[in-house]
Amino acid sequence: MAKKFIDIMDTSFRDGFQSVFGGRVLLNDFLPAIQAAKEAGISHFEFGGGARFQALFFYLNENAFDMMDKFREVVGKDANLQTLARGINTVMLDTGSRDMVDLHAKLFAKHGTTTIRNFDALNDIRNLDFSAKCIKKYGLKHEVVVTMMDLPPKCEGAHDVKFYEKNVRDILDSGLKFDSICFKDASGTSSPEKVYQTLKMARKLLGDDVHMRLHTHETAGVSVAAYLAALEAGADGIDLAVSPVSGGTSQPDILTMMHAVKGKNYDLGGFDLEKILAYEEELGACLESYFMPPEATQVSPLIPFSPMPGGALTANTQMMRDNGTLNKFTEVIKAMREVVEKGGYGTSVTPVSQFYWQQAYANVMFGPWKQIAPGYGKMVLGYFGKTPVTPNKEIIKLASEKLKLEPTKKNPLDIADIDEKKSIKYWTNRLKEEKLELSEENIFISAACDEKGIEFLKGNAKVNIRKNDKNSCQKGDNNKMNNTSGNYTVVVDGEKFNVSVADGDGDIQIVPASKPKEAQNAQANKNSNQASQENKPSKENCVNAAVNGIVWKILVKAGDKIKAEQTLVILEAMKMEIDIKAESDGVVEQVLVAQNDAVNEGDALVVLK
């Protein structure tokens, strides 16, 4: 009897890159590995979408659509190239309008996509219906998703087999058209037995002809067991990666899984072991110069308590490295448990995983529930759809007060459609203002990446990757190295110094940590010699940065009268806007920072009198 053929999607170039390097891998560095994968017989790839879409614009100064075109060129017209979309968020930072959801499907079809895997973190069928119609409208294959995870201990009410059965029935009852179904566990926390029972249940409901697959991560250490359980329950496909972007926070390795099914009645992709080994060696050589974050290679016993997706975990730790708060990582992961418990049990996958992380980060940095992260707050209030269970009532009340929003049960698409900033017209006008090309691609890039998209299109984006050897970085404006840029605190003979390492070949700036922020700005403007300790404002008169971050907006100027609790400056940290408020009434004497300045926790931002 012939072995059952199992379709393998190679996630190395999307989820693998995202889970290990936060998506920060340059196209020219991995092109030879794509060719090697093709020669190894791989024809089903995850090649774009998800957080990897924005990573190219934010950190690589590369156009995601150009990357997709090049990928298709290398693998040929017959390969199944798959992307990841977050329902009505698609690949955007926030919920998209109907026009933007439609444009997403149109452009991804244009730029080489075969299949779009379409999920909603809340498993709200409303968030899948319209996006599914758009995907099918442009001739793409639609892979509908049920998102999975295990709840923290002693939590119940969702994410059991009964809950997933309701999700599958909702999909079938809605009449939503799909070509395949995926059970997606981005945190890798679902127990193998639950995976088995869930997929066995789904097979009975779906029948034998529907292609059914599992996606999981190794982060919690049970991925191989989960995949074996899925195969025993009737799965037709699983997702795997190859070294050095397999295991750890990523998917299991193809070679590992081939070993795990020895003696079983499964043929994984029809692959030849030696050819896969050669492909792995090629990818290893391509990525040899990249800094491998240690947390990307580890299995964490904390993840079942605080389900953090592998793809989000390293993206967040990379941002923490950028702003000098990586020492808080363990605290934030632990704080996630309470955030999940009180947030309504949305699946920990983008964007909900980021909402959980941001709220946990805020709870660690500012004190428990002193601030509400905007995404988390809007989620518990219903602005992204219906959460699986009702969030904690006190958190709903707190979010409403902090964000000045009432809870809602409206369709998230209807909310997005009336938001002018989510319209094609708005971003068309922004492109006109900046005298940029009015292509559909540019409209979508700016809408998906906000002002960072505009900066990319203007040619102002910078490369922010980490490599072990600076000389190994490719030359040219598009590949400028930024290996260790950022802000650091160094202790020398008991005295703290702030060290700012600039991009490229810029000078390293060292400023005593006790000095206020204006000294750093003065030094950056080559006027530091004019700053004197006699004119240094007292700590009592300063409004200081609560966290390390970037100055996003300055809302006051010298001479302004301000009230207690008034927001003076907004910082950006961990993709989150942090309001810096006055503690008392006063008058602004001096603003010590400029937009886009990097600041450290405790730096003086504004002087009051």
Side-chain angles (χ1 to χ4, degrees):
M1 180 178 177
K3 291 185 176 183
K4 179 180 178 180
F5 180 85
I6 304 299
D7 178 75
I8 303 300
M9 182 169 74
D10 183 353
T11 60
S12 303
F13 303 104
R14 208 294 301 175
D15 209 345
F17 285 174
Q18 183 65 36
S19 298
V20 175
F21 302 113
R24 306 184 195 189
V25 183
L26 295 162
L27 172 61
N28 287 340
D29 284 347
F30 68 87
L31 273 176
I34 301 175
Q35 181 63 40
K38 178 184 177 183
E39 292 172 359
I42 295 174
S43 60
H44 187 182
F45 297 89
E46 187 181 38
F47 83 129
R52 169 80 176 151
F53 181 83
Q54 286 161 337
L56 272 70
F57 301 102
F58 287 2
Y59 306 116
L60 304 179
N61 195 23
E62 292 184 348
N63 190 316
F65 293 120
D66 293 342
M67 181 279 294
M68 293 163 68
D69 291 341
K70 187 64 178 178
F71 204 113
R72 172 59 76 185
E73 179 184 327
V74 173
V75 298
K77 62 182 178 63
D78 296 327
N80 182 1
L81 296 187
Q82 189 160 321
T83 60
L84 186 65
R86 312 168 191 132
I88 57 176
N89 275 63
T90 64
V91 294
M92 294 182 280
L93 292 170
D94 199 354
T95 303
S97 64
R98 285 179 171 84
D99 283 348
M100 286 300 176
V101 174
D102 183 82
L103 184 58
H104 161 262
K106 180 180 181 180
L107 291 175
F108 275 57
K110 176 181 176 181
H111 291 280
T113 304
T114 309
T115 304
I116 293 182
R117 175 177 287 174
N118 186 35
F119 75 89
D120 177 58
L122 302 181
N123 284 310
D124 187 335
I125 193 68
R126 294 177 301 172
N127 292 342
L128 295 174
D129 181 64
F130 183 74
S131 53
K133 290 175 181 176
C134 294
I135 290 167
K136 296 301 293 180
K137 172 183 174 181
Y138 291 102
L140 296 167
K141 292 182 179 180
H142 177 224
E143 185 164 280
V144 70
V145 174
V146 174
T147 59
M148 300 178 69
M149 70 175 185
D150 262 17
L151 293 174
K154 299 182 181 179
C155 294
E156 57 184 22
H159 292 288
D160 52 18
V161 179
K162 183 179 179 180
F163 173 74
Y164 299 132
E165 180 177 351
K166 180 182 182 303
N167 295 157
V168 175
R169 290 187 183 277
D170 285 347
I171 290 170
L172 294 174
D173 292 345
S174 72
L176 181 150
K177 295 185 182 303
F178 61 93
D179 299 278
S180 56
I181 186 168
C182 176
F183 291 83
K184 177 179 172 64
D185 184 350
S187 59
T189 54
S190 294
S191 69
E193 178 63 17
K194 187 177 78 173
V195 167
Y196 176 78
Q197 295 296 343
T198 297
L199 269 70
K200 191 175 180 181
M201 167 275 298
R203 179 56 76 200
K204 289 180 180 178
L205 290 178
L206 297 167
D208 294 334
D209 296 333
V210 174
H211 182 89
M212 183 175 70
R213 59 192 307 121
L214 177 70
H215 170 96
T216 191
H217 287 245
E218 178 60 9
T219 323
V222 294
S223 63
V224 173
Y227 275 146
L228 290 173
L231 294 176
E232 291 296 320
D236 303 297
I238 56 177
D239 298 351
L240 300 170
V242 297
S243 179
V245 293
S246 59
T249 52
S250 183
Q251 281 72 56
D253 196 280
I254 292 177
L255 293 176
T256 299
M257 204 65 208
M258 291 177 73
H259 182 68
V261 299
K262 283 180 180 177
K264 293 183 177 292
N265 194 38
Y266 307 116
D267 175 7
L268 298 192
F271 299 145
D272 179 273
L273 189 134
E274 294 296 335
K275 290 182 179 180
I276 296 295
L277 183 60
Y279 160 38
E280 295 211 359
E281 290 174 351
E282 181 63 47
L283 183 59
C286 288
L287 301 177
E288 185 177 12
S289 64
Y290 279 78
F291 166 70
M292 180 69 71
E295 66 274 10
T297 65
Q298 298 172 355
V299 169
S300 172
L302 289 178
I303 294 302
F305 297 87
S306 303
M308 169 52 61
L313 190 151
T314 51
N316 287 324
T317 56
Q318 293 285 51
M319 286 188 286
M320 294 181 89
R321 281 188 176 87
D322 288 345
N323 67 15
T325 57
L326 188 58
N327 62 309
K328 301 288 186 180
F329 171 70
T330 302
E331 292 179 63
V332 177
I333 280 287
K334 287 182 178 179
M336 262 192 66
R337 177 173 177 172
E338 181 185 16
V339 170
V340 173
E341 290 173 349
K342 294 184 176 181
Y345 299 164
T347 316
S348 190
V349 60
T350 307
V352 169
S353 58
Q354 197 64 22
F355 300 159
Y356 287 153
W357 176 268
Q358 289 171 344
Q359 187 59 55
Y361 185 83
N363 285 357
V364 168
M365 301 304 293
F366 308 116
W369 307 106
K370 297 296 183 183
Q371 289 201 16
I372 292 291
Y376 185 83
K378 290 175 71 176
M379 177 185 71
V380 301
L381 292 172
Y383 285 84
F384 300 118
K386 183 180 178 181
T387 54
V389 302
T390 302
N392 179 277
K393 292 181 180 180
E394 290 300 317
I395 299 301
I396 294 174
K397 179 181 178 183
L398 183 62
S400 182
E401 292 172 352
K402 293 283 188 180
L403 301 184
K404 296 179 173 57
L405 290 171
E406 291 298 318
T408 183
K409 294 183 180 180
K410 291 182 180 178
N411 187 322
L413 270 176
D414 293 336
I415 298 172
D417 277 346
I418 61 176
D419 186 340
E420 180 188 10
K421 196 174 179 181
K422 295 181 179 180
S423 68
I424 288 177
K425 179 181 178 181
Y426 175 88
W427 290 106
T428 299
N429 289 335
R430 282 290 290 116
L431 293 175
K432 287 179 179 178
E433 290 173 9
E434 300 292 347
K435 296 181 172 54
L436 295 167
E437 180 186 354
L438 297 179
S439 67
E440 289 184 319
E441 284 82 356
N442 285 359
I443 290 170
F444 189 80
I445 289 167
S446 55
C449 301
D450 208 310
E451 293 302 320
K452 290 184 179 180
I454 295 292
E455 290 302 301
F456 167 82
L457 295 172
K458 289 166 65 176
N460 296 333
K462 296 179 180 180
V463 173
N464 187 350
I465 60 175
R466 287 180 173 80
K467 288 193 174 184
N468 298 314
D469 178 7
K470 183 173 181 178
N471 294 325
S472 69
C473 185
Q474 299 176 23
K475 303 298 181 182
D477 292 340
N478 289 339
N479 291 312
K480 185 167 57 178
M481 189 64 184
N482 185 6
N483 190 35
T484 54
S485 63
N487 300 302
Y488 307 88
T489 300
V490 179
V491 179
V492 180
D493 293 333
E495 184 176 358
K496 290 184 178 181
F497 292 85
N498 290 334
V499 181
S500 297
V501 182
D503 293 342
D505 297 322
D507 295 334
I508 295 177
Q509 300 176 5
I510 302 177
V511 180
S514 58
K515 284 189 179 182
K517 182 66 186 177
E518 77 271 20
Q520 297 180 46
N521 291 337
Q523 182 170 8
N525 294 319
K526 299 183 180 180
N527 293 323
S528 59
N529 291 333
Q530 298 177 14
S532 66
Q533 290 298 314
E534 290 78 11
N535 294 328
K536 174 181 175 180
S538 67
K539 197 77 172 178
E540 291 74 19
N541 293 336
C542 292
V543 177
N544 305 308
V547 294
N548 296 2
I550 303 296
V551 177
W552 180 243
K553 293 180 182 178
I554 300 171
L555 304 178
V556 294
K557 62 183 183 301
D560 285 354
K561 294 182 179 180
I562 55 99
K563 297 288 186 180
E565 292 298 306
Q566 180 177 338
T567 300
L568 310 182
V569 177
I570 300 176
L571 302 182
E572 181 188 35
M574 306 302 297
K575 294 184 180 178
M576 179 171 56
E577 295 180 10
I578 309 293
D579 292 346
I580 305 301
K581 300 181 178 182
E583 294 184 359
S584 59
D585 296 352
V587 176
V588 176
E589 180 177 341
Q590 189 178 5
V591 177
L592 304 175
V593 291
Q595 190 171 355
N596 295 323
D597 277 355
V599 297
N600 293 318
E601 180 182 356
D603 283 347
L605 307 177
V606 176
V607 182
L608 303 179
K609 60 180 179 180

